[in-house]
């Protein structure tokens, strides 16, 4: 490892100053242009539709550019490589065979010097050797330099000689890299660190994988699964920006703490506009607040809920227990169970969602009533054919469709439903549960029931999503008064627009009547019609892609990332895959860490119904986070969970053995070096998924194992959260 002197640090400072000067100039130009754009259109004269559209497009484009430029300042440049190549753009120290490439969070070039590259975006193909090169496989890289900055100040540099005459005998592997060691040994802050400076070869291969299908990243604790997934998001947004900027990216995490933990990483990578959500908050408008038992989570997460929910919806499609009558003028018509059943059968055979099938039900029931009425009023006294024509019967049908009595019967036998209404009513009614889950045992019934008024629970989101598939959208309705007002307002807008065009057209020059000019002169009516002009002041949806996606039940994301994917239940998998009809997804997790009672045991089993075996599996094999001393304990727990599992290789030693203390030790009396401390017991183990701390205290591990069917997995997760030290209060379970 080279030890740069202060002169080299000063040289890097000068280079970094130059990069920031260019970045500042870009920001200044963008702000100046934004001010011009904002002043181009007179708000008091919004009739120039084209100008308004151009202004809106450029306005949002400039704001997006400013966001990227401002975010890029957070660690603008972090590395440099000197690489042997045939295409040298920036000779290293005058050597025309070696290209010097600076790596950072965005790309910058010198426009005056034929757009010479000054800073490479870390996602660009030419930046890859920075991550791939090792002394064993240098990829042509002679020297790799890590540049440390605080704000705009260079605070230090670390050099690694990877090839050439100066390499010496240093053939260290990944664990020898100073930048990686510095990042791993740094104290935790409560927010996830970007690993963009320290991405390793096996991680880089996953981040840049060109696969456009489902990709699974499986890896044990500390292998960087989450960081890899987030950097893959940034890479995909860079590589497929045009597509993903309009369709968005969804990142699903295990809990709100985790989402807050990672929230700063994507902006630091230069990307915004993704949707972060827990699986329990994926259904728009729902925020789960109520606790639920393990048994309830298991039952509600099982695939059997599809059958139960289907029956719950069908239970609203009822038959009358007695014949009913409706009046059409002075004539009484009869509605019996057979008529309703025939209409219901017609609706069900369509296999359409309930609210869509309701229209078929209504049509068939009214059709039967129309023919019944036709028989009564159109019968030939002499015994001949009915005196009413087909058109007459159609008119009777339309008239009956307007009858309040008829619509009341339709509402009674085939009502309009909503997912929230159906689920809330089902789970708070023991009789409804008994009917919908008639083929299931009493434990299942008890697990589903909750008192009326209980708030939404995390597992409800997937059930509501399933119900929406079964029910469909509710028909849009407005009152007659509201409809009349809207129609009147629109007619006035249209009339005003027509008058405006007439005035403009009448003022056209009368000197252009010659036939030679007729085809070349455009009047107001040629470029805009009255309806387009009338709509000029309609409020357009200016929300970002992420904002619109979060609020849309039917949004199809361009890419979906699921972290801790092993926790998803069968019902949640169904919901997640509905958000990705193109099946372009990155799923990261570790089946040995499954703590959900309805979680998965194998990726093949979880994905079989959606993509079969057509998914790509990556295995992360190096544990960068957890010290060897802690993993010796964790691996004994892993052997209980899965005796055939191969643990990831831990590459760090902390020099601190695991500290075992008596069961009556009060965690509050313990003290630690600088860093983040977490006390974990059976009550909070579910909250620490995906998180990491400097020092972890595991309290009464046997209770953690006994508290859940997945207790061993919970204990495995708990002991592997630490980056520096592990303290265990109470004995480990006998099997360890």
């Amino acid at each position: 490892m080279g030890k740069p002197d202060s002169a080299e640090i000063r040289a890097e400072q000068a280079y970094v100053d130059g990069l920031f000067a260019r970045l500042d100039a870009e920001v200044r130009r963008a702000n100046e242009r934004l001010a011009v754009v904002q002043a181009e259109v007179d708000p008091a004269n919004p009739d120039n539709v084209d100008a308004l559209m151009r202004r809106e497009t450029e306005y949002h484009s400039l704001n997006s550019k400013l966001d990227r430029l401002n975010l890029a300042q957070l660690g603008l440049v972090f590395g440099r490589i000197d690489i042997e190549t045939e295409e040298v753009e920036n000779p290293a120290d005058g050597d025309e065979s070696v290209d010097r490439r600076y790596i950072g969070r965005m790309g910058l070039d010198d426009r005056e010097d034929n757009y010479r590259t000054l800073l490479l975006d870390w996602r660009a193909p030419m930046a890859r050797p920075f991550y791939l090169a090792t002394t064993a496989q240098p990829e042509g890289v002679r020297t790799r330099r890590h540049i440390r900055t605080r704000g705009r100040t260079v605070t230090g540099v670390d050099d690694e000689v990877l090839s050439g005459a100066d390499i010496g005998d240093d053939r260290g592997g990944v664990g020898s890299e100073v930048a990686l060691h510095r990042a791993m040994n740094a104290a935790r802050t409560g927010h996830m660190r970007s690993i963009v400076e320290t991405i390793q070869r096996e991680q880089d291969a996953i981040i840049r994988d060109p696969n456009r299908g489902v990709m699974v990243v499986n890896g044990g604790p500390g292998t960087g699964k989450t960081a890899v997934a987030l950097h893959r998001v940034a890479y995909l947004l860079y590589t497929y920006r045009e597509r993903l900027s309009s369709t968005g990216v969804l990142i699903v995490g295990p809990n709100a703490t985790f989402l807050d933990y990672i929230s700063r990483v994507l902006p630091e990578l230069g990307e915004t506009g993704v949707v972060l959500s827990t699986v329990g908050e994926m259904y728009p408008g729902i925020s789960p607040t109520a606790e639920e038992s393990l048994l309830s989570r298991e039952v509600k997460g099982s695939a059997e809920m599809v059958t139960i929910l289907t029956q719950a919806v069908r239970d609203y499609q009822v038959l009358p227990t007695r014949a009913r009558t409706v009046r059409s003028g002075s004539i009484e018509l009869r509605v019996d169970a057979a008529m309703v059943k025939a209409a219901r059968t017609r609706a069900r055979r369509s296999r359409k969602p309930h609210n869509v099938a309701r229209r078929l039900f209504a049509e068939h029931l009214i059709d039967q009533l129309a023919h019944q009425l036709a028989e009564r009023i159109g019968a030939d006294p002499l015994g001949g054919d009915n005196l009413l024509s087909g058109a007459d019967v159609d008119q009777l049908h339309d008239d009956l469709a307007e009858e309040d009595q008829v619509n009341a019967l339709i509402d009674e036998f085939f009502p309009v439903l909503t997912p929230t209404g159906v689920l809330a009513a089902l789970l708070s009614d023991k009789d409804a549960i008994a009917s919908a889950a008639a083929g299931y045992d009493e434990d299942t019934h008890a697990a589903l029931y909750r008192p009326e008024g209980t708030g939404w629970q995390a597992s409800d989101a997937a059930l509501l999503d399933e119900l929406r598939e079964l029910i469909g959208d509710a028909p849009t309705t407005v009152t007659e008064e509201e409809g009349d007002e809207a129609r009147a307002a629109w007619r006035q807008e249209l009339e005003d627009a027509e008058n405006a065009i007439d005035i403009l057209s009448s003022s056209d020059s009368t000197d252009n009547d010659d036939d030679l000019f007729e085809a070349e002169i455009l009047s107001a009516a040629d470029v805009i019609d009255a309806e387009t002009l009338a709509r000029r002041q309609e409020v357009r949806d200016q929300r970002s892609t992420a904002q619109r996606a979060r609020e849309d039940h039917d949004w199809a994301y361009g890419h979906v990332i699921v972290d801790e994917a092993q926790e998803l239940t069968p019902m949640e998998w169904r919901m997640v895959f509905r958000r990705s009809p193109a099946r372009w997804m990155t799923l990261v997790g570790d089946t040995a860490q499954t703590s959900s009672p309805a979680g998965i045991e194998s990726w093949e089993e979880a994905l079989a119904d959606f993509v079969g075996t057509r998914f790509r599996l990556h295995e992360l094999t190096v544990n960068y986070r957890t010290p060897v001393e802690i993993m010796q304990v964790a691996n004994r727990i892993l052997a209980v969970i899965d005796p055939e599992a191969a643990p990831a290789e831990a590459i760090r030693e902390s020099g601190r053995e695991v500290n075992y203390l008596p069961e009556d030790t009060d965690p509050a009396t313990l003290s630690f070096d600088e860093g983040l401390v977490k006390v974990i017991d059976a009550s909070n183990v579910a909250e620490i998924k995906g998180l990491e701390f400097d020092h972890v205290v595991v309290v009464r591990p046997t209770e953690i194992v006994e508290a859940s069917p997945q207790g061993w997995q919970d204990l495995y997760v708990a002991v592997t959260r630490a980056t520096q030290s592990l303290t265990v209060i109470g004995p480990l379970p006998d099997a360890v």
Side-chain angles (χ1 to χ4, degrees), residues 306-339:
V306 177
T307 301
I308 294 172
L309 294 175
T310 300
Q311 186 56 48
V313 172
R314 292 169 73 95
D315 283 346
Y316 283 89
Q317 302 166 2
V318 298
L319 301 178
T321 56
R322 57 179 178 79
R324 309 291 184 83
T325 58
V326 295
R327 299 188 66 83
S328 176
S330 60
I331 299 176
E332 214 171 61
L333 302 175
R334 188 172 187 270
V335 179
D336 58 24
M339 294 172 61

Side-chain angles (χ1 to χ4, degrees), residues 471-528:
I471 292 171
D473 288 323
T476 303
T477 58
V478 295
T479 65
E480 185 174 346
E481 182 179 354
E482 290 171 333
D484 289 343
E485 290 177 356
R487 284 188 289 272
W490 171 244
R491 283 196 297 271
Q492 185 61 50
E493 287 282 353
L494 197 58
E495 183 178 342
D496 292 345
E498 289 170 344
N499 290 337
I501 289 179
D502 287 343
I503 293 171
L504 290 170
S505 299
S506 65
S507 65
D508 287 344
S509 173
T510 56
D511 296 333
N512 297 323
D513 291 339
D514 195 304
D515 289 344
L516 287 173
F517 297 96
E518 183 175 356
E520 299 182 19
I521 302 300
L522 296 178
S523 69
D526 292 323
V527 297
I528 188 171

Side-chain angles (χ1 to χ4, degrees), residues 224-246:
K225 298 183 297 296
T226 299
V228 166
L230 296 180
H231 287 73
R232 177 162 171 77
V233 171
Y235 172 74
L236 293 176
L237 286 168
Y238 173 84
T239 308
Y240 303 100
R241 179 173 297 280
E242 184 174 348
R243 175 180 177 182
L244 294 180
S245 63
S246 61

